[in-house]
Amino acid sequence: MKQRNTRSLKTKHIGQYVCENCGSHSPKWMGRCHICGEWDSYTKLEGEISKRKTNPSHPVAITQIGVNREERIETTIGELDRILGGGLVPGSLVLLGGDPGMGKSTLAIDMLNRVAQSKRNVIYVTGEESPEQVKMRAKRLGIDSQRLFVLAETSLENIIEQIDKISPVIAVIDSIHTIYTEDFPSAPGSVGQIRECASRLMQYAKAHGTSMLLIGHVTKEGTIAGPKVLEHLVDTVLYFEGGKEHPYRILRAVKNRFGSTNEIGVFEMQDSGLKEVKNPSEIFLSERPVNASGSVVVPSLEGTRPILVEIQALVSPCNFGVPRRTTIGLDYNRVSLLVAILEKRAGLHVIGQDIFMNVAGGVKIEEPAIDLGISMAIVSSFLNKPIDSDTVVFGEVGLVGEVRGVSQAELRLKEAEKLGFKRCLLPRTNLERLTVETSLSLIGVDSIEKAIEALF
Ligand SMILES: Nc1ncnc2c1ncn2[C@@H]1O[C@H](COP(=O)(O)OP(=O)(O)O)[C@@H](O)[C@H]1O
Ligand SMILES: [Mg+2]
């Protein structure tokens, strides 16, 4: 009895099954998680998590807290620094996810090399490749730095020991799914291991001020494999987007404790590595067909930067069965909703048509400010009438067919002006509240019918 009590003080028995999606526990297996509703997500968790001793903290007056931690480590990759909110915060944990071959390892080693140039130690820990393979990539990228250390290791204890010897400013763990701690008997990549390793790395990072970049694999659905708690644990979550068929890679901050979210960085994959794309609007519009029906340019705001992208629609009569809808880079449900609004509020018979939509260049946009652009692309293709190629369109569309104002209209207009556009269709409320001068001719509309009237 006595023995049992001491044991329960030191260790914590955790539920035998854990949900891979949200990390909740259950003493028995269930087909569906009772917390997040995910099906078939429970896996058996073996072992026990030992309770660690923690030093008690004391409350401190906010005026007494120093801010020297806010210094940033600039990676000198402009696009990366911007999405991080101005560089890496010392002691922060960044999770970088993306499909295989997107360039996660390439970006990570490039970043380390640049930081190492300023005479600071950095380390690249790889659990997937041998040091020779890392060297081969580094050679291709032209990386050669005395201060960049490579460690091929998968044991967490050894990794922390080695990191401690070098005391680097940044440590990259490629990938978190390959490392394991000896305290935990389950296999590397299992939920318990990932969570335990990540939280141990976080403790190290916070205590020593070392920034950590953890590389993670993604599942078929595109989220980082492993428990959702991993995303909650880290300070910043970055995802690489973009298909392999495009050379462009989009790095998006989906969570950031030290900067704005949804900020995107655009890169181009070349032989010599990932190159920053400083003027993404120009790239995304470079192959735009002029005066073709179904094409419209929208100034979309991703994070703090406006980007002009082309939305394309192809509407064709459905000859058989249920009409088809396909969307690439746009939210399927949003498009269906806008189609229904066009049918009901603007009297266009588009519901029975096959509709295919695409965002050129492989970008994904989700903000509602592109609603009006999506609607106008559909109308243009349906009527087979092109929209003037020097026109941009933005605005949110409500269920009654009203066009609602969006945020940051000035930034959107400025970007359109910079790229030589002449005309803009925008929500009337935005036009009335406009505070800047612009050379664009502005058409303010408050309903989808008026928007159609103005353009066609
Ligand atoms: N020898 C090579 N020459 C040119 N590009 C290469 C070469 N090897 C790999 N790549 C490019 O690098 C990408 C792989 O990058 P990597 O950083 O290893 O991706 P990840 O770590 O995300 O899986 C591939 O998609 C490919 O485009
Ligand atoms: Mg890799």
Side-chain angles (χ1 to χ4, degrees), residues 245-248 268 279-292 295-297 308-312 358-363 389 419 421:
E245 59 277 12
H246 296 285
Y248 302 112
E268 186 178 354
N279 47 356
S281 301
E282 275 173 36
I283 299 274
F284 292 141
L285 297 183
S286 60
E287 286 169 306
R288 184 164 62 108
V290 175
N291 287 333
S295 155
V296 64
V297 177
L308 295 184
V309 285
E310 182 198 350
I311 294 181
Q312 300 177 329
N358 179 33
V359 180
V363 206
S389 56
L419 280 139
F421 286 86

PDB file of all heavy atoms in Angstrom, residues 245-248 268 279-292 295-297 308-312 358-363 389 419 421:
ATOM      1  N   GLU A 245       2.898  20.965 -58.771  1.00  0.00           N
ATOM      2  CA  GLU A 245       2.867  21.332 -60.194  1.00  0.00           C
ATOM      3  C   GLU A 245       3.257  22.788 -60.413  1.00  0.00           C
ATOM      4  O   GLU A 245       3.576  23.188 -61.520  1.00  0.00           O
ATOM      5  CB  GLU A 245       1.495  21.011 -60.817  1.00  0.00           C
ATOM      6  CG  GLU A 245       0.296  21.704 -60.192  1.00  0.00           C
ATOM      7  CD  GLU A 245      -0.242  21.010 -58.942  1.00  0.00           C
ATOM      8  OE1 GLU A 245       0.421  20.102 -58.370  1.00  0.00           O
ATOM      9  OE2 GLU A 245      -1.316  21.389 -58.509  1.00  0.00           O
ATOM     10  N   HIS A 246       3.240  23.587 -59.328  1.00  0.00           N
ATOM     11  CA  HIS A 246       3.659  24.983 -59.443  1.00  0.00           C
ATOM     12  C   HIS A 246       5.029  25.138 -58.794  1.00  0.00           C
ATOM     13  O   HIS A 246       5.309  24.492 -57.793  1.00  0.00           O
ATOM     14  CB  HIS A 246       2.696  25.900 -58.691  1.00  0.00           C
ATOM     15  CG  HIS A 246       1.317  25.890 -59.252  1.00  0.00           C
ATOM     16  ND1 HIS A 246       1.001  26.527 -60.417  1.00  0.00           N
ATOM     17  CD2 HIS A 246       0.185  25.309 -58.811  1.00  0.00           C
ATOM     18  CE1 HIS A 246      -0.283  26.340 -60.663  1.00  0.00           C
ATOM     19  NE2 HIS A 246      -0.799  25.590 -59.713  1.00  0.00           N
ATOM     20  N   PRO A 247       5.855  26.023 -59.330  1.00  0.00           N
ATOM     21  CA  PRO A 247       7.140  26.233 -58.659  1.00  0.00           C
ATOM     22  C   PRO A 247       6.979  27.099 -57.411  1.00  0.00           C
ATOM     23  O   PRO A 247       7.893  27.225 -56.621  1.00  0.00           O
ATOM     24  CB  PRO A 247       7.974  26.953 -59.716  1.00  0.00           C
ATOM     25  CG  PRO A 247       6.994  27.615 -60.600  1.00  0.00           C
ATOM     26  CD  PRO A 247       5.743  26.791 -60.564  1.00  0.00           C
ATOM     27  N   TYR A 248       5.802  27.715 -57.231  1.00  0.00           N
ATOM     28  CA  TYR A 248       5.632  28.642 -56.122  1.00  0.00           C
ATOM     29  C   TYR A 248       5.215  27.920 -54.854  1.00  0.00           C
ATOM     30  O   TYR A 248       4.412  27.010 -54.876  1.00  0.00           O
ATOM     31  CB  TYR A 248       4.613  29.729 -56.466  1.00  0.00           C
ATOM     32  CG  TYR A 248       5.033  30.465 -57.679  1.00  0.00           C
ATOM     33  CD1 TYR A 248       4.326  30.362 -58.859  1.00  0.00           C
ATOM     34  CD2 TYR A 248       6.205  31.209 -57.670  1.00  0.00           C
ATOM     35  CE1 TYR A 248       4.760  30.989 -60.013  1.00  0.00           C
ATOM     36  CE2 TYR A 248       6.647  31.839 -58.811  1.00  0.00           C
ATOM     37  CZ  TYR A 248       5.923  31.727 -59.973  1.00  0.00           C
ATOM     38  OH  TYR A 248       6.373  32.337 -61.096  1.00  0.00           O
ATOM     39  N   GLU A 268       9.878  30.755 -54.546  1.00  0.00           N
ATOM     40  CA  GLU A 268       9.910  29.980 -55.776  1.00  0.00           C
ATOM     41  C   GLU A 268      10.972  28.905 -55.613  1.00  0.00           C
ATOM     42  O   GLU A 268      12.096  29.199 -55.192  1.00  0.00           O
ATOM     43  CB  GLU A 268      10.252  30.883 -56.959  1.00  0.00           C
ATOM     44  CG  GLU A 268      10.156  30.144 -58.271  1.00  0.00           C
ATOM     45  CD  GLU A 268      10.449  31.021 -59.474  1.00  0.00           C
ATOM     46  OE1 GLU A 268      10.614  32.251 -59.308  1.00  0.00           O
ATOM     47  OE2 GLU A 268      10.539  30.460 -60.569  1.00  0.00           O
ATOM     48  N   ASN A 279       7.508  40.347 -55.184  1.00  0.00           N
ATOM     49  CA  ASN A 279       6.336  41.005 -55.776  1.00  0.00           C
ATOM     50  C   ASN A 279       5.337  39.961 -56.247  1.00  0.00           C
ATOM     51  O   ASN A 279       5.146  39.763 -57.442  1.00  0.00           O
ATOM     52  CB  ASN A 279       6.777  41.884 -56.951  1.00  0.00           C
ATOM     53  CG  ASN A 279       7.729  41.132 -57.857  1.00  0.00           C
ATOM     54  OD1 ASN A 279       8.110  39.990 -57.556  1.00  0.00           O
ATOM     55  ND2 ASN A 279       8.077  41.712 -58.975  1.00  0.00           N
ATOM     56  N   PRO A 280       4.694  39.260 -55.295  1.00  0.00           N
ATOM     57  CA  PRO A 280       3.842  38.130 -55.674  1.00  0.00           C
ATOM     58  C   PRO A 280       2.702  38.503 -56.621  1.00  0.00           C
ATOM     59  O   PRO A 280       2.359  37.709 -57.492  1.00  0.00           O
ATOM     60  CB  PRO A 280       3.304  37.611 -54.345  1.00  0.00           C
ATOM     61  CG  PRO A 280       3.651  38.604 -53.332  1.00  0.00           C
ATOM     62  CD  PRO A 280       4.736  39.452 -53.856  1.00  0.00           C
ATOM     63  N   SER A 281       2.153  39.715 -56.476  1.00  0.00           N
ATOM     64  CA  SER A 281       1.031  40.087 -57.344  1.00  0.00           C
ATOM     65  C   SER A 281       1.428  39.980 -58.813  1.00  0.00           C
ATOM     66  O   SER A 281       0.698  39.451 -59.635  1.00  0.00           O
ATOM     67  CB  SER A 281       0.576  41.505 -57.057  1.00  0.00           C
ATOM     68  OG  SER A 281       0.178  41.632 -55.729  1.00  0.00           O
ATOM     69  N   GLU A 282       2.622  40.507 -59.126  1.00  0.00           N
ATOM     70  CA  GLU A 282       3.078  40.480 -60.524  1.00  0.00           C
ATOM     71  C   GLU A 282       3.183  39.055 -61.034  1.00  0.00           C
ATOM     72  O   GLU A 282       2.819  38.748 -62.161  1.00  0.00           O
ATOM     73  CB  GLU A 282       4.446  41.158 -60.646  1.00  0.00           C
ATOM     74  CG  GLU A 282       4.325  42.643 -60.803  1.00  0.00           C
ATOM     75  CD  GLU A 282       5.682  43.331 -60.756  1.00  0.00           C
ATOM     76  OE1 GLU A 282       6.665  42.743 -61.263  1.00  0.00           O
ATOM     77  OE2 GLU A 282       5.740  44.435 -60.199  1.00  0.00           O
ATOM     78  N   ILE A 283       3.726  38.165 -60.171  1.00  0.00           N
ATOM     79  CA  ILE A 283       3.901  36.769 -60.564  1.00  0.00           C
ATOM     80  C   ILE A 283       2.548  36.105 -60.808  1.00  0.00           C
ATOM     81  O   ILE A 283       2.328  35.447 -61.815  1.00  0.00           O
ATOM     82  CB  ILE A 283       4.650  36.004 -59.447  1.00  0.00           C
ATOM     83  CG1 ILE A 283       6.021  36.601 -59.229  1.00  0.00           C
ATOM     84  CG2 ILE A 283       4.691  34.516 -59.714  1.00  0.00           C
ATOM     85  CD1 ILE A 283       7.097  36.083 -60.129  1.00  0.00           C
ATOM     86  N   PHE A 284       1.622  36.337 -59.864  1.00  0.00           N
ATOM     87  CA  PHE A 284       0.336  35.657 -59.985  1.00  0.00           C
ATOM     88  C   PHE A 284      -0.476  36.160 -61.174  1.00  0.00           C
ATOM     89  O   PHE A 284      -1.353  35.469 -61.656  1.00  0.00           O
ATOM     90  CB  PHE A 284      -0.471  35.798 -58.688  1.00  0.00           C
ATOM     91  CG  PHE A 284       0.137  35.040 -57.548  1.00  0.00           C
ATOM     92  CD1 PHE A 284       0.142  35.556 -56.271  1.00  0.00           C
ATOM     93  CD2 PHE A 284       0.713  33.797 -57.755  1.00  0.00           C
ATOM     94  CE1 PHE A 284       0.722  34.854 -55.217  1.00  0.00           C
ATOM     95  CE2 PHE A 284       1.294  33.096 -56.721  1.00  0.00           C
ATOM     96  CZ  PHE A 284       1.299  33.626 -55.450  1.00  0.00           C
ATOM     97  N   LEU A 285      -0.192  37.382 -61.605  1.00  0.00           N
ATOM     98  CA  LEU A 285      -0.977  37.928 -62.709  1.00  0.00           C
ATOM     99  C   LEU A 285      -0.266  37.807 -64.052  1.00  0.00           C
ATOM    100  O   LEU A 285      -0.816  38.162 -65.079  1.00  0.00           O
ATOM    101  CB  LEU A 285      -1.299  39.401 -62.448  1.00  0.00           C
ATOM    102  CG  LEU A 285      -2.165  39.684 -61.221  1.00  0.00           C
ATOM    103  CD1 LEU A 285      -2.464  41.167 -61.122  1.00  0.00           C
ATOM    104  CD2 LEU A 285      -3.471  38.915 -61.276  1.00  0.00           C
ATOM    105  N   SER A 286       0.975  37.294 -64.020  1.00  0.00           N
ATOM    106  CA  SER A 286       1.790  37.353 -65.241  1.00  0.00           C
ATOM    107  C   SER A 286       1.204  36.574 -66.409  1.00  0.00           C
ATOM    108  O   SER A 286       1.400  36.941 -67.554  1.00  0.00           O
ATOM    109  CB  SER A 286       3.204  36.874 -64.937  1.00  0.00           C
ATOM    110  OG  SER A 286       3.145  35.551 -64.475  1.00  0.00           O
ATOM    111  N   GLU A 287       0.452  35.514 -66.119  1.00  0.00           N
ATOM    112  CA  GLU A 287      -0.070  34.727 -67.238  1.00  0.00           C
ATOM    113  C   GLU A 287      -1.564  34.940 -67.460  1.00  0.00           C
ATOM    114  O   GLU A 287      -2.247  34.102 -68.022  1.00  0.00           O
ATOM    115  CB  GLU A 287       0.203  33.243 -66.976  1.00  0.00           C
ATOM    116  CG  GLU A 287       1.653  32.909 -67.165  1.00  0.00           C
ATOM    117  CD  GLU A 287       1.981  31.527 -66.650  1.00  0.00           C
ATOM    118  OE1 GLU A 287       1.675  31.243 -65.478  1.00  0.00           O
ATOM    119  OE2 GLU A 287       2.521  30.736 -67.418  1.00  0.00           O
ATOM    120  N   ARG A 288      -2.047  36.061 -66.974  1.00  0.00           N
ATOM    121  CA  ARG A 288      -3.488  36.296 -67.033  1.00  0.00           C
ATOM    122  C   ARG A 288      -3.950  36.521 -68.473  1.00  0.00           C
ATOM    123  O   ARG A 288      -3.371  37.313 -69.207  1.00  0.00           O
ATOM    124  CB  ARG A 288      -3.812  37.538 -66.206  1.00  0.00           C
ATOM    125  CG  ARG A 288      -5.278  37.848 -66.100  1.00  0.00           C
ATOM    126  CD  ARG A 288      -5.463  38.815 -64.990  1.00  0.00           C
ATOM    127  NE  ARG A 288      -4.767  40.066 -65.264  1.00  0.00           N
ATOM    128  CZ  ARG A 288      -5.387  41.191 -65.575  1.00  0.00           C
ATOM    129  NH1 ARG A 288      -6.689  41.230 -65.667  1.00  0.00           N
ATOM    130  NH2 ARG A 288      -4.699  42.284 -65.788  1.00  0.00           N
ATOM    131  N   PRO A 289      -5.003  35.821 -68.879  1.00  0.00           N
ATOM    132  CA  PRO A 289      -5.523  36.069 -70.221  1.00  0.00           C
ATOM    133  C   PRO A 289      -6.235  37.419 -70.233  1.00  0.00           C
ATOM    134  O   PRO A 289      -6.889  37.778 -69.251  1.00  0.00           O
ATOM    135  CB  PRO A 289      -6.524  34.933 -70.425  1.00  0.00           C
ATOM    136  CG  PRO A 289      -6.923  34.522 -69.063  1.00  0.00           C
ATOM    137  CD  PRO A 289      -5.770  34.809 -68.157  1.00  0.00           C
ATOM    138  N   VAL A 290      -6.061  38.178 -71.292  1.00  0.00           N
ATOM    139  CA  VAL A 290      -6.693  39.498 -71.345  1.00  0.00           C
ATOM    140  C   VAL A 290      -8.038  39.366 -72.052  1.00  0.00           C
ATOM    141  O   VAL A 290      -8.158  38.674 -73.057  1.00  0.00           O
ATOM    142  CB  VAL A 290      -5.755  40.497 -72.069  1.00  0.00           C
ATOM    143  CG1 VAL A 290      -6.428  41.851 -72.241  1.00  0.00           C
ATOM    144  CG2 VAL A 290      -4.470  40.648 -71.265  1.00  0.00           C
ATOM    145  N   ASN A 291      -9.028  40.018 -71.491  1.00  0.00           N
ATOM    146  CA  ASN A 291     -10.378  39.999 -72.052  1.00  0.00           C
ATOM    147  C   ASN A 291     -10.945  38.611 -72.278  1.00  0.00           C
ATOM    148  O   ASN A 291     -11.514  38.322 -73.332  1.00  0.00           O
ATOM    149  CB  ASN A 291     -10.431  40.825 -73.349  1.00  0.00           C
ATOM    150  CG  ASN A 291     -10.350  42.299 -73.026  1.00  0.00           C
ATOM    151  OD1 ASN A 291     -10.748  42.723 -71.939  1.00  0.00           O
ATOM    152  ND2 ASN A 291      -9.795  43.073 -73.945  1.00  0.00           N
ATOM    153  N   ALA A 292     -10.753  37.750 -71.307  1.00  0.00           N
ATOM    154  CA  ALA A 292     -11.361  36.422 -71.383  1.00  0.00           C
ATOM    155  C   ALA A 292     -12.495  36.379 -70.369  1.00  0.00           C
ATOM    156  O   ALA A 292     -12.363  36.918 -69.271  1.00  0.00           O
ATOM    157  CB  ALA A 292     -10.327  35.363 -71.051  1.00  0.00           C
ATOM    158  N   SER A 295     -12.751  35.546 -65.891  1.00  0.00           N
ATOM    159  CA  SER A 295     -11.531  35.862 -65.152  1.00  0.00           C
ATOM    160  C   SER A 295     -11.685  37.218 -64.475  1.00  0.00           C
ATOM    161  O   SER A 295     -12.131  38.182 -65.092  1.00  0.00           O
ATOM    162  CB  SER A 295     -10.348  35.878 -66.128  1.00  0.00           C
ATOM    163  OG  SER A 295      -9.319  36.688 -65.643  1.00  0.00           O
ATOM    164  N   VAL A 296     -11.333  37.274 -63.204  1.00  0.00           N
ATOM    165  CA  VAL A 296     -11.418  38.553 -62.489  1.00  0.00           C
ATOM    166  C   VAL A 296     -10.248  38.663 -61.509  1.00  0.00           C
ATOM    167  O   VAL A 296      -9.788  37.661 -60.980  1.00  0.00           O
ATOM    168  CB  VAL A 296     -12.796  38.699 -61.799  1.00  0.00           C
ATOM    169  CG1 VAL A 296     -13.004  37.664 -60.732  1.00  0.00           C
ATOM    170  CG2 VAL A 296     -12.986  40.069 -61.202  1.00  0.00           C
ATOM    171  N   VAL A 297      -9.765  39.890 -61.333  1.00  0.00           N
ATOM    172  CA  VAL A 297      -8.643  40.088 -60.419  1.00  0.00           C
ATOM    173  C   VAL A 297      -9.163  40.663 -59.099  1.00  0.00           C
ATOM    174  O   VAL A 297      -9.942  41.607 -59.092  1.00  0.00           O
ATOM    175  CB  VAL A 297      -7.599  41.041 -61.040  1.00  0.00           C
ATOM    176  CG1 VAL A 297      -6.469  41.315 -60.056  1.00  0.00           C
ATOM    177  CG2 VAL A 297      -7.040  40.437 -62.311  1.00  0.00           C
ATOM    178  N   LEU A 308      -2.627  40.663 -55.275  1.00  0.00           N
ATOM    179  CA  LEU A 308      -3.632  40.569 -56.324  1.00  0.00           C
ATOM    180  C   LEU A 308      -3.585  39.174 -56.915  1.00  0.00           C
ATOM    181  O   LEU A 308      -2.525  38.678 -57.276  1.00  0.00           O
ATOM    182  CB  LEU A 308      -3.342  41.577 -57.433  1.00  0.00           C
ATOM    183  CG  LEU A 308      -3.447  43.052 -57.054  1.00  0.00           C
ATOM    184  CD1 LEU A 308      -3.233  43.911 -58.278  1.00  0.00           C
ATOM    185  CD2 LEU A 308      -4.798  43.374 -56.460  1.00  0.00           C
ATOM    186  N   VAL A 309      -4.740  38.541 -56.984  1.00  0.00           N
ATOM    187  CA  VAL A 309      -4.788  37.216 -57.589  1.00  0.00           C
ATOM    188  C   VAL A 309      -5.931  37.150 -58.587  1.00  0.00           C
ATOM    189  O   VAL A 309      -6.891  37.910 -58.503  1.00  0.00           O
ATOM    190  CB  VAL A 309      -4.973  36.085 -56.546  1.00  0.00           C
ATOM    191  CG1 VAL A 309      -3.720  35.810 -55.780  1.00  0.00           C
ATOM    192  CG2 VAL A 309      -6.114  36.380 -55.620  1.00  0.00           C
ATOM    193  N   GLU A 310      -5.794  36.210 -59.491  1.00  0.00           N
ATOM    194  CA  GLU A 310      -6.820  36.059 -60.509  1.00  0.00           C
ATOM    195  C   GLU A 310      -7.720  34.893 -60.138  1.00  0.00           C
ATOM    196  O   GLU A 310      -7.240  33.790 -59.875  1.00  0.00           O
ATOM    197  CB  GLU A 310      -6.139  35.783 -61.861  1.00  0.00           C
ATOM    198  CG  GLU A 310      -7.122  35.653 -62.992  1.00  0.00           C
ATOM    199  CD  GLU A 310      -6.522  34.959 -64.202  1.00  0.00           C
ATOM    200  OE1 GLU A 310      -5.297  34.749 -64.243  1.00  0.00           O
ATOM    201  OE2 GLU A 310      -7.299  34.596 -65.099  1.00  0.00           O
ATOM    202  N   ILE A 311      -9.024  35.154 -60.114  1.00  0.00           N
ATOM    203  CA  ILE A 311      -9.988  34.082 -59.871  1.00  0.00           C
ATOM    204  C   ILE A 311     -10.624  33.727 -61.207  1.00  0.00           C
ATOM    205  O   ILE A 311     -11.010  34.605 -61.973  1.00  0.00           O
ATOM    206  CB  ILE A 311     -11.063  34.532 -58.866  1.00  0.00           C
ATOM    207  CG1 ILE A 311     -10.415  34.767 -57.504  1.00  0.00           C
ATOM    208  CG2 ILE A 311     -12.186  33.507 -58.751  1.00  0.00           C
ATOM    209  CD1 ILE A 311     -11.376  35.183 -56.433  1.00  0.00           C
ATOM    210  N   GLN A 312     -10.682  32.439 -61.493  1.00  0.00           N
ATOM    211  CA  GLN A 312     -11.255  32.019 -62.768  1.00  0.00           C
ATOM    212  C   GLN A 312     -12.480  31.153 -62.534  1.00  0.00           C
ATOM    213  O   GLN A 312     -12.499  30.339 -61.617  1.00  0.00           O
ATOM    214  CB  GLN A 312     -10.233  31.183 -63.543  1.00  0.00           C
ATOM    215  CG  GLN A 312      -8.958  31.936 -63.847  1.00  0.00           C
ATOM    216  CD  GLN A 312      -7.949  31.050 -64.539  1.00  0.00           C
ATOM    217  OE1 GLN A 312      -7.913  29.848 -64.303  1.00  0.00           O
ATOM    218  NE2 GLN A 312      -7.145  31.643 -65.392  1.00  0.00           N
ATOM    219  N   ASN A 358     -11.178  28.291 -59.933  1.00  0.00           N
ATOM    220  CA  ASN A 358      -9.747  28.114 -59.689  1.00  0.00           C
ATOM    221  C   ASN A 358      -9.120  29.448 -59.317  1.00  0.00           C
ATOM    222  O   ASN A 358      -9.537  30.491 -59.799  1.00  0.00           O
ATOM    223  CB  ASN A 358      -9.127  27.563 -60.992  1.00  0.00           C
ATOM    224  CG  ASN A 358      -7.643  27.368 -60.877  1.00  0.00           C
ATOM    225  OD1 ASN A 358      -7.119  27.040 -59.809  1.00  0.00           O
ATOM    226  ND2 ASN A 358      -6.932  27.589 -61.977  1.00  0.00           N
ATOM    227  N   VAL A 359      -8.121  29.388 -58.447  1.00  0.00           N
ATOM    228  CA  VAL A 359      -7.317  30.589 -58.202  1.00  0.00           C
ATOM    229  C   VAL A 359      -5.985  30.337 -58.905  1.00  0.00           C
ATOM    230  O   VAL A 359      -5.323  29.339 -58.625  1.00  0.00           O
ATOM    231  CB  VAL A 359      -7.083  30.824 -56.697  1.00  0.00           C
ATOM    232  CG1 VAL A 359      -6.261  32.076 -56.483  1.00  0.00           C
ATOM    233  CG2 VAL A 359      -8.398  30.940 -55.964  1.00  0.00           C
ATOM    234  N   ALA A 360      -5.629  31.209 -59.835  1.00  0.00           N
ATOM    235  CA  ALA A 360      -4.418  30.979 -60.619  1.00  0.00           C
ATOM    236  C   ALA A 360      -3.177  31.057 -59.735  1.00  0.00           C
ATOM    237  O   ALA A 360      -3.125  31.837 -58.793  1.00  0.00           O
ATOM    238  CB  ALA A 360      -4.344  32.011 -61.738  1.00  0.00           C
ATOM    239  N   GLY A 361      -2.195  30.213 -60.032  1.00  0.00           N
ATOM    240  CA  GLY A 361      -0.911  30.265 -59.311  1.00  0.00           C
ATOM    241  C   GLY A 361      -0.837  29.362 -58.098  1.00  0.00           C
ATOM    242  O   GLY A 361       0.166  29.338 -57.405  1.00  0.00           O
ATOM    243  N   GLY A 362      -1.924  28.625 -57.800  1.00  0.00           N
ATOM    244  CA  GLY A 362      -1.871  27.668 -56.683  1.00  0.00           C
ATOM    245  C   GLY A 362      -2.019  28.289 -55.305  1.00  0.00           C
ATOM    246  O   GLY A 362      -1.661  27.688 -54.318  1.00  0.00           O
ATOM    247  N   VAL A 363      -2.552  29.516 -55.241  1.00  0.00           N
ATOM    248  CA  VAL A 363      -2.751  30.148 -53.920  1.00  0.00           C
ATOM    249  C   VAL A 363      -4.096  29.697 -53.358  1.00  0.00           C
ATOM    250  O   VAL A 363      -4.999  29.330 -54.103  1.00  0.00           O
ATOM    251  CB  VAL A 363      -2.832  31.699 -54.027  1.00  0.00           C
ATOM    252  CG1 VAL A 363      -2.406  32.361 -52.747  1.00  0.00           C
ATOM    253  CG2 VAL A 363      -2.086  32.204 -55.209  1.00  0.00           C
ATOM    254  N   SER A 389      -9.999  44.170 -68.400  1.00  0.00           N
ATOM    255  CA  SER A 389      -8.826  43.603 -67.724  1.00  0.00           C
ATOM    256  C   SER A 389      -8.124  44.607 -66.819  1.00  0.00           C
ATOM    257  O   SER A 389      -7.214  44.249 -66.090  1.00  0.00           O
ATOM    258  CB  SER A 389      -7.851  43.024 -68.748  1.00  0.00           C
ATOM    259  OG  SER A 389      -7.527  44.028 -69.661  1.00  0.00           O
ATOM    260  N   LEU A 419      -0.048  48.273 -59.524  1.00  0.00           N
ATOM    261  CA  LEU A 419       0.105  47.342 -60.635  1.00  0.00           C
ATOM    262  C   LEU A 419      -0.599  47.803 -61.903  1.00  0.00           C
ATOM    263  O   LEU A 419      -0.787  47.029 -62.836  1.00  0.00           O
ATOM    264  CB  LEU A 419      -0.363  45.951 -60.224  1.00  0.00           C
ATOM    265  CG  LEU A 419       0.749  45.290 -59.418  1.00  0.00           C
ATOM    266  CD1 LEU A 419       0.223  44.552 -58.247  1.00  0.00           C
ATOM    267  CD2 LEU A 419       1.595  44.395 -60.303  1.00  0.00           C
ATOM    268  N   PHE A 421      -3.766  49.042 -62.447  1.00  0.00           N
ATOM    269  CA  PHE A 421      -5.201  48.894 -62.701  1.00  0.00           C
ATOM    270  C   PHE A 421      -5.856  50.266 -62.722  1.00  0.00           C
ATOM    271  O   PHE A 421      -5.344  51.226 -62.147  1.00  0.00           O
ATOM    272  CB  PHE A 421      -5.839  47.981 -61.654  1.00  0.00           C
ATOM    273  CG  PHE A 421      -5.492  46.534 -61.884  1.00  0.00           C
ATOM    274  CD1 PHE A 421      -4.325  45.988 -61.370  1.00  0.00           C
ATOM    275  CD2 PHE A 421      -6.309  45.733 -62.665  1.00  0.00           C
ATOM    276  CE1 PHE A 421      -3.980  44.677 -61.611  1.00  0.00           C
ATOM    277  CE2 PHE A 421      -5.974  44.413 -62.909  1.00  0.00           C
ATOM    278  CZ  PHE A 421      -4.813  43.887 -62.381  1.00  0.00           C
TER     279      PHE A 421
END
